[in-house]
Amino acid sequence: MDELLEILEEIDPDIDYENETNLIDGKVLDSLSILTLITEICDVFDIEIGPKWMRNENFNSVAAMWKMIQAIQEEE
């Protein structure tokens, strides 16, 4: 999970990612940040985030993103 936090910190170091649970729904991250985040997650974790995973609830918090990453890795 440290790698995921590093990715997020590079996108915007002013956000408290460990406690924020509304990154998407609360518009904490803008669309460019979200695109960057998805690209970086795919590159760093060597996964493909397909359409079935592109839901707000999978990106609203670090915990949700980590759970999604693990689920995708198990599928592949």
Side-chain angles (χ1 to χ4, degrees):
M1 186 177 313
D2 289 339
E3 291 171 312
L4 177 58
L5 284 169
E6 286 177 25
I7 292 168
L8 290 163
E9 291 289 330
E10 287 179 20
I11 291 172
D12 189 337
D14 296 327
I15 298 171
D16 181 8
Y17 293 105
E18 294 189 45
N19 294 307
E20 182 61 59
T21 58
N22 240 357
L23 291 169
I24 304 300
D25 291 337
K27 296 182 174 50
V28 175
L29 294 175
D30 62 24
S31 57
L32 182 58
S33 296
I34 296 165
L35 289 173
T36 302
L37 172 62
I38 291 169
T39 302
E40 288 296 314
I41 288 174
C42 289
D43 289 347
V44 169
F45 294 97
D46 193 29
I47 60 173
E48 182 177 324
I49 301 175
K52 82 175 195 177
W53 298 102
M54 295 291 186
R55 298 188 310 246
N56 287 0
E57 61 264 20
N58 288 332
F59 294 93
N60 265 330
S61 70
V62 171
M65 286 183 248
W66 186 244
K67 185 177 175 181
M68 175 191 66
I69 291 166
Q70 291 179 314
I72 292 170
Q73 288 174 328
E74 288 175 13
E75 280 186 355
E76 294 181 348

